[in-house]
């Protein structure tokens, strides 16, 4: 069975992303074509990149990196839940991406973003990063607006539009992850 990881890309206290990520996990868990795992960056406690060697070498010195590497290696495709901070993604998510290289290669990724402009600018930056990491980003995206998708800017309330967008994006992540399986196997990822 295909394994899809939902990465909760914010570690900020009071983060809205936790509500969003749990919704993504709940919806995705109803699918019969994949297993879903929540990867909460707060639980991995990754300091600002502290590995002495470049990640492309895969020679990790720290236990937190080894644990993060094992978690990402076990996943076939990803959904990244990202806030938009200052027209980009969170520093925590960028840092987590920078820790690894081969573990990301030849896997699909989709995005669920939230913010004043739906988090779309954060996703544009993530698409550039994904290309360098050899992550295949799918077109489908869920963009959640703070003013209309969150009651009082704090409580996430999924609506039909968001549900349709999520279903489309998840279908693309599963399809692309399946299609990339041969590349992952050939590369040992």
């Amino acid at each position: 069975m295909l394994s899809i990881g939902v990465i909760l890309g914010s570690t900020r206290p009071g983060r809205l992303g936790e509500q969003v990520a749990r919704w993504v996990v709940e919806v995705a868990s109803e699918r019969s074509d994949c297993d879903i795992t929540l990867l909460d960056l707060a639980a991995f406690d990754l300091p600002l990149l502290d590995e002495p060697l470049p990640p492309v070498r895969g020679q990790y010195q720290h236990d937190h990196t080894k644990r993060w590497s094992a978690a990402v290696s076990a996943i076939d495709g990803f959904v990244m839940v990202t806030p938009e901070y200052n027209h980009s993604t969170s520093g925590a998510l960028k840092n987590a991406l920078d820790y690894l290289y081969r573990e990301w290669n030849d896997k699909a990724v989709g995005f669920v973003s939230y913010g004043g402009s739906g988090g779309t600018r954060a996703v544009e930056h993530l698409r550039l990063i994904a290309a360098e990491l050899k992550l295949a980003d799918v077109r489908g995206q869920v963009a959640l607006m703070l003013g209309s998708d969150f009651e009082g800017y704090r409580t996430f309330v999924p609506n039909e539009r968001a549900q349709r967008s999520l279903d489309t994006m998840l279908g693309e992540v599963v399809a692309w992850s399946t299609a990339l399986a041969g590349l992952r196997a050939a590369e040992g990822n």
Side-chain angles (χ1 to χ4, degrees):
M1 176 84 62
L2 204 62
S3 177
I4 302 298
V6 177
I7 298 176
L8 173 45
S10 173
T11 58
R12 176 181 263 176
R15 61 194 171 165
L16 299 177
E18 191 167 357
Q19 298 171 61
V20 176
R22 295 205 183 284
W23 169 70
V24 172
V25 168
E26 180 182 316
V27 170
S29 294
E30 295 173 5
R31 298 179 65 94
S32 62
D33 53 2
C34 60
D35 287 326
I36 304 301
T37 302
L38 177 62
L39 300 173
D40 184 345
L41 293 184
F44 285 91
D45 200 26
L46 296 169
L48 190 59
L49 186 58
D50 65 347
E51 287 291 335
L53 298 173
V56 71
R57 296 183 63 187
Q59 297 174 353
Y60 307 125
Q61 306 298 309
H62 301 294
D63 288 339
H64 55 262
T65 310
K66 293 174 186 175
R67 198 165 64 94
W68 179 234
S69 172
V72 172
S73 292
I75 302 294
D76 298 306
F78 300 94
V79 173
M80 294 184 187
V81 176
T82 183
E84 183 173 306
Y85 298 155
N86 301 315
H87 289 222
S88 191
T89 190
S90 70
L93 181 53
K94 176 65 167 89
N95 186 54
L97 289 165
D98 288 345
Y99 259 93
L100 309 175
Y101 180 71
R102 285 191 178 97
E103 295 86 345
W104 300 116
N105 294 177
D106 303 319
K107 298 178 181 182
V109 64
F111 302 102
V112 177
S113 58
Y114 58 95
S117 297
T120 56
R121 296 170 294 208
V123 171
E124 288 307 308
H125 288 173
L126 284 168
R127 289 183 191 282
L128 294 171
I129 296 163
E132 182 61 25
L133 295 173
K134 293 177 55 177
L135 278 163
D137 61 309
V138 301
R139 182 178 185 275
Q141 175 183 339
V142 182
L144 304 170
M145 304 289 288
L146 289 178
S148 59
D149 293 306
F150 294 82
E151 285 182 0
Y153 294 89
R154 297 293 316 148
T155 304
F156 176 55
V157 181
N159 58 41
E160 189 176 316
R161 175 196 50 80
Q163 179 74 40
R164 280 192 315 270
S165 296
L166 180 58
D167 289 338
T168 297
M169 185 266 297
L170 287 170
E172 291 175 1
V173 168
V174 167
W176 283 43
S177 295
T178 301
L180 291 166
L183 286 175
R184 288 193 303 279
E187 295 291 325
N189 293 332

